[in-house]
Amino acid sequence: MAEPDLVVRVADERDEAALAGLRRAWLEERCGHPVDDPGFEAAFAQWWRLELPRRTFWLAEAGSERSGWTAVGSINVVEIGQMPRPGARAGRIGQVGSAFVLSGFADRGVAGALLARAVEHARERRYRRLLLAPTGNSAPFYRRAGFASAGESLLVLDPTAVPD
């Protein structure tokens, strides 16, 4: 049996349910069981509407025109506008987020195809940098794609934590 065709395209409002389904599958694959959250899809839809103006989402689909298409992966890039300063104009950077491929489609080039579209987008938009925070397992994949360590200059604060 032949491998299904793969398409990677920019997602739009018609893809909200497919992206929510992939997000649910991401968690369920990691925890090994279904997650009972009947309000998740509505929460995702609300988040999607708020984020869409500043994020570009790509959806990877496997299938064919004849058999139909099934969402098998996604990635997104949030655009961050940098503040201008004297002597330097504002620029843009991108942050890769929520890259995911269904486990049944791992090692079939889906992740590489999604990342290639995100990098192409960064070049077209003339981002100064494309950032990401990889998981331990995904770091080698991103390094092979040309990403380099940015050092240990990232700090984080939980604003809900009570100070000592």
Side-chain angles (χ1 to χ4, degrees), residues 83-121:
M83 184 185 300
R85 65 177 194 260
R89 297 297 166 247
R92 293 183 301 249
I93 60 174
Q95 183 169 350
V96 175
S98 306
F100 172 71
V101 175
L102 292 173
S103 60
F105 287 83
D107 300 324
R108 294 190 188 183
V110 178
L114 285 163
L115 184 59
R117 292 296 297 275
V119 170
E120 177 185 357
H121 173 78

XYZ file of all heavy atoms in Angstrom, residues 83-121:
275
model
N 10.540 46.722 20.030
C 10.441 48.166 20.200
C 11.623 48.849 19.509
O 12.766 48.411 19.671
C 10.466 48.508 21.699
C 10.277 49.974 21.996
S 10.453 50.373 23.756
C 9.174 49.387 24.480
N 11.371 49.919 18.741
C 12.506 50.642 18.146
C 13.289 51.376 19.226
O 12.775 51.627 20.320
C 11.836 51.621 17.184
C 10.468 51.803 17.702
C 10.087 50.524 18.407
N 14.518 51.699 18.909
C 15.348 52.502 19.812
C 16.124 53.489 18.957
O 16.233 53.302 17.741
C 16.272 51.613 20.627
C 17.311 50.881 19.824
C 18.234 50.068 20.738
N 19.397 49.649 20.005
C 19.567 48.445 19.495
N 18.635 47.532 19.635
N 20.666 48.153 18.841
N 16.661 54.514 19.562
C 17.443 55.464 18.769
C 18.571 54.725 18.035
O 19.299 53.928 18.631
C 18.006 56.430 19.814
C 17.018 56.371 20.932
C 16.556 54.935 20.961
N 18.658 54.954 16.756
C 19.695 54.315 15.955
C 19.312 52.967 15.389
O 20.058 52.395 14.604
N 18.171 52.424 15.758
C 17.732 51.119 15.250
C 16.208 51.100 15.173
O 15.531 51.471 16.119
C 18.228 49.993 16.147
N 15.704 50.705 14.057
C 14.262 50.623 13.865
C 13.732 49.314 14.424
O 14.473 48.374 14.679
C 13.907 50.748 12.379
C 14.295 52.079 11.790
C 13.526 53.213 12.482
N 14.100 54.504 12.185
C 14.701 55.277 13.089
N 14.830 54.891 14.323
N 15.169 56.451 12.751
N 12.433 49.284 14.578
C 11.774 48.081 15.094
C 11.999 46.917 14.132
O 12.112 47.106 12.924
C 10.285 48.338 15.268
N 12.052 45.762 14.679
C 12.149 44.544 13.892
C 11.156 43.532 14.428
O 10.358 43.831 15.317
N 11.216 42.349 13.872
C 10.310 41.287 14.309
C 11.119 40.020 14.572
O 12.103 39.739 13.886
C 9.270 40.999 13.242
C 8.300 42.132 13.017
C 7.262 41.743 12.001
N 7.887 41.395 10.734
C 7.806 42.099 9.616
N 7.122 43.198 9.593
N 8.390 41.704 8.511
N 10.658 39.272 15.555
C 11.183 37.935 15.776
C 9.989 36.996 15.799
O 8.843 37.430 15.979
C 12.003 37.815 17.084
C 11.159 38.146 18.303
C 13.253 38.677 17.025
C 11.877 37.893 19.627
N 10.248 35.737 15.620
C 9.196 34.736 15.677
C 9.529 33.695 16.718
O 10.699 33.399 16.960
N 8.507 33.164 17.344
C 8.693 32.078 18.298
C 7.858 30.894 17.854
O 6.644 30.984 17.713
C 8.303 32.490 19.709
C 8.564 31.370 20.691
C 8.440 31.813 22.128
O 8.344 32.989 22.445
N 8.447 30.843 23.024
N 8.540 29.779 17.605
C 7.883 28.546 17.199
C 7.190 27.957 18.415
O 7.759 27.911 19.506
C 8.904 27.532 16.640
C 8.236 26.199 16.321
C 9.605 28.105 15.423
N 5.974 27.520 18.229
C 5.243 26.920 19.339
C 4.398 25.744 18.912
O 3.978 25.633 17.760
N 4.168 24.872 19.864
C 3.205 23.780 19.738
C 3.372 22.938 18.482
O 2.407 22.612 17.809
C 1.777 24.328 19.811
O 1.605 25.089 20.972
N 4.605 22.579 18.168
C 4.840 21.667 17.050
C 4.440 20.262 17.497
O 4.809 19.814 18.579
C 6.304 21.691 16.640
N 3.654 19.584 16.673
C 3.167 18.252 17.042
C 2.862 17.451 15.792
O 2.297 17.968 14.835
C 1.901 18.363 17.901
C 1.236 17.046 18.148
C 1.821 16.109 18.993
C 0.054 16.726 17.525
C 1.226 14.874 19.206
C -0.561 15.497 17.739
C 0.033 14.575 18.590
N 3.234 16.165 15.831
C 2.898 15.212 14.772
C 2.345 13.968 15.451
O 2.938 13.472 16.425
C 4.133 14.855 13.918
C 3.799 13.777 12.895
C 4.678 16.101 13.222
N 1.228 13.462 14.969
C 0.670 12.225 15.518
C 1.726 11.125 15.483
O 2.465 11.003 14.500
C -0.554 11.782 14.719
C -1.812 12.646 14.810
C -2.859 12.159 13.816
C -2.372 12.651 16.225
N 1.780 10.317 16.521
C 2.817 9.286 16.613
C 2.779 8.327 15.429
O 3.818 7.837 14.999
C 2.704 8.518 17.931
O 1.441 7.876 18.024
N 1.624 8.071 14.882
C 1.515 7.189 13.725
C 2.154 7.767 12.468
O 2.348 7.053 11.483
N 2.503 9.046 12.488
C 3.130 9.694 11.343
C 4.538 10.180 11.656
O 5.137 10.921 10.876
C 2.254 10.846 10.830
C 1.033 10.357 10.119
C -0.097 9.998 10.834
C 1.036 10.194 8.746
C -1.218 9.507 10.186
C -0.073 9.702 8.090
C -1.214 9.348 8.810
N 5.066 9.763 12.800
C 6.446 10.116 13.154
C 7.397 9.459 12.160
O 7.089 8.417 11.569
C 6.750 9.646 14.573
N 8.533 10.075 11.953
C 9.576 9.554 11.057
C 9.106 9.385 9.615
O 9.593 8.521 8.890
C 10.134 8.227 11.601
C 10.747 8.395 12.979
O 11.360 9.456 13.222
O 10.605 7.478 13.806
N 8.186 10.225 9.190
C 7.723 10.209 7.796
C 7.955 11.554 7.126
O 7.388 11.837 6.071
C 6.243 9.865 7.721
C 5.910 8.454 8.161
C 4.489 8.152 7.813
N 4.034 6.896 8.370
C 2.843 6.379 8.151
N 1.972 7.029 7.393
N 2.493 5.249 8.688
N 8.730 12.423 7.775
C 9.043 13.717 7.194
C 8.036 14.815 7.493
O 8.187 15.936 7.006
N 7.030 14.513 8.287
C 5.989 15.499 8.574
C 6.561 16.662 9.385
O 6.341 17.831 9.061
C 4.790 14.858 9.297
C 3.731 15.907 9.647
C 4.185 13.742 8.455
N 7.299 16.347 10.449
C 7.869 17.403 11.296
C 8.805 18.295 10.489
O 8.773 19.519 10.618
C 8.594 16.797 12.492
N 9.622 17.705 9.645
C 10.534 18.487 8.814
C 9.798 19.386 7.837
O 10.196 20.532 7.614
N 8.723 18.879 7.266
C 7.930 19.679 6.328
C 7.270 20.860 7.049
O 7.231 21.972 6.513
C 6.873 18.805 5.656
N 6.757 20.621 8.248
C 6.151 21.709 9.020
C 7.195 22.759 9.394
O 6.965 23.961 9.220
C 5.495 21.150 10.292
C 4.175 20.418 10.094
C 3.840 19.578 11.317
C 3.061 21.412 9.800
N 8.349 22.309 9.889
C 9.391 23.254 10.287
C 9.902 24.041 9.087
O 10.158 25.245 9.195
C 10.543 22.523 10.988
C 11.639 23.431 11.532
C 11.090 24.439 12.538
C 12.748 22.588 12.156
N 10.025 23.407 7.944
C 10.484 24.105 6.741
C 9.549 25.259 6.394
O 10.003 26.341 5.997
C 10.592 23.129 5.566
N 8.253 25.063 6.554
C 7.298 26.137 6.268
C 7.447 27.284 7.271
O 7.362 28.460 6.916
C 5.864 25.611 6.283
C 5.562 24.659 5.138
C 5.656 25.311 3.753
N 4.712 26.372 3.545
C 3.465 26.221 3.131
N 2.992 25.033 2.856
N 2.686 27.257 2.991
N 7.684 26.950 8.557
C 7.873 27.986 9.571
C 9.139 28.792 9.296
O 9.142 30.020 9.419
C 7.925 27.354 10.962
N 10.212 28.112 8.894
C 11.467 28.808 8.581
C 11.299 29.668 7.331
O 11.754 30.815 7.284
C 12.622 27.793 8.427
C 13.867 28.453 7.861
C 12.919 27.126 9.771
N 10.618 29.149 6.325
C 10.346 29.924 5.112
C 9.542 31.186 5.461
O 9.834 32.280 4.966
C 9.567 29.048 4.127
C 9.156 29.732 2.853
C 8.289 28.838 1.973
O 8.047 27.667 2.322
O 7.850 29.331 0.928
N 8.568 31.044 6.324
C 7.757 32.178 6.782
C 8.643 33.228 7.463
O 8.508 34.428 7.209
C 6.693 31.655 7.748
C 5.885 32.701 8.429
N 4.852 33.369 7.819
C 5.945 33.180 9.700
C 4.305 34.220 8.673
N 4.958 34.129 9.819
